[in-house]
Amino acid sequence: TDETNKLRFLLGKYVQRPLIIMGVNPSKASLQKDDMTSTKVARFAEKLGFDGWVLCNLYPRRATLIDNLPKKRSLKTHEDNLKEIQWLLGQVDRPTIWAAWGNLVNAKPYLKICLKDIVVSTGPFEPNWIHLGGKTKEGHPRHPSRMGYQVPVNSFLVEEYVESLFDK
């Protein structure tokens, strides 16, 4: 988090091989207090054989409701987010990223741009992108909050997905 607690770049607990979850924006969870999402991703990470988890987000501004995100992104905040995500991937051998933003990627126009920049900036680390369960009716990878634990793990062709976001 930043000193104002309005931003959270990374949140997680792991030893060497975390499941990296890419959500939309952080809510209230902290290392001292889990929320529904962090509780669920911790269980999923354990079930999938990871030694922990790290939550990242398309945009690091804390907001319980997506409508409370700013109308425009801060370029500095976005660049800081990219640096933090790149740092994390540099610490992990063979990183796996779980795409988990749901339909909320459409909530603010800049979220798709943030995603595209994340995909490009993480490319050199050759992450294995996955999504769990089926996709939403709109074709987006589901958010974990209401997901059951018996869902399949699917590979996620993130570059094709991002390209399709900009074709619409």
Side-chain angles (χ1 to χ4, degrees):
T1 57
D2 68 333
E3 48 288 337
T4 66
N5 203 30
K6 291 182 180 180
L7 303 174
R8 188 186 74 219
F9 297 99
L10 305 172
L11 173 67
K13 303 171 188 175
Y14 72 97
V15 178
Q16 287 186 312
R17 189 170 175 264
L19 175 59
I20 300 166
I21 300 89
M22 189 64 63
V24 177
N25 68 291
S27 188
K28 295 182 180 191
S30 68
L31 284 177
Q32 294 76 34
K33 185 178 180 202
D34 291 330
D35 65 5
M36 182 171 51
T37 301
S38 61
T39 300
K40 294 236 21 180
V41 300
R43 276 205 61 205
F44 273 114
E46 184 179 343
K47 276 184 58 71
L48 296 174
F50 293 87
D51 71 3
W53 53 274
V54 178
L55 284 166
C56 306
N57 291 283
L58 302 181
Y59 195 70
R61 175 66 182 221
R62 285 180 179 264
T64 304
L65 300 173
I66 198 79
D67 290 340
N68 292 341
L69 285 178
K71 291 182 181 180
K72 293 183 177 185
R73 69 178 176 163
S74 156
L75 191 54
K76 180 184 181 334
T77 297
H78 173 59
E79 289 171 351
D80 289 347
N81 194 41
L82 292 174
K83 288 177 190 169
E84 293 289 330
I85 294 167
Q86 289 172 319
W87 174 85
L88 173 64
L89 268 63
Q91 308 305 305
V92 179
D93 185 38
R94 296 175 295 127
T96 296
I97 302 176
W98 170 11
W101 47 80
N103 293 334
L104 295 177
V105 72
N106 291 322
K108 302 287 180 179
Y110 58 84
L111 292 173
K112 294 176 189 177
I113 296 165
C114 292
L115 173 59
K116 183 177 182 179
D117 291 347
I118 289 168
V119 170
V120 169
S121 71
T122 60
F125 301 96
E126 299 180 357
N128 174 37
W129 284 82
I130 62 171
H131 74 95
L132 299 182
K135 293 182 182 171
T136 67
K137 289 180 185 177
E138 292 82 10
H140 304 292
R142 290 191 181 280
H143 186 277
S145 62
R146 292 179 185 83
M147 193 179 286
Y149 291 106
Q150 302 304 318
V151 296
V153 177
N154 303 293
S155 68
F156 187 59
L157 302 174
V158 71
E159 291 90 355
E160 289 179 21
Y161 169 81
V162 168
E163 193 175 303
S164 74
L165 290 176
F166 291 92
D167 287 345
K168 297 177 182 179

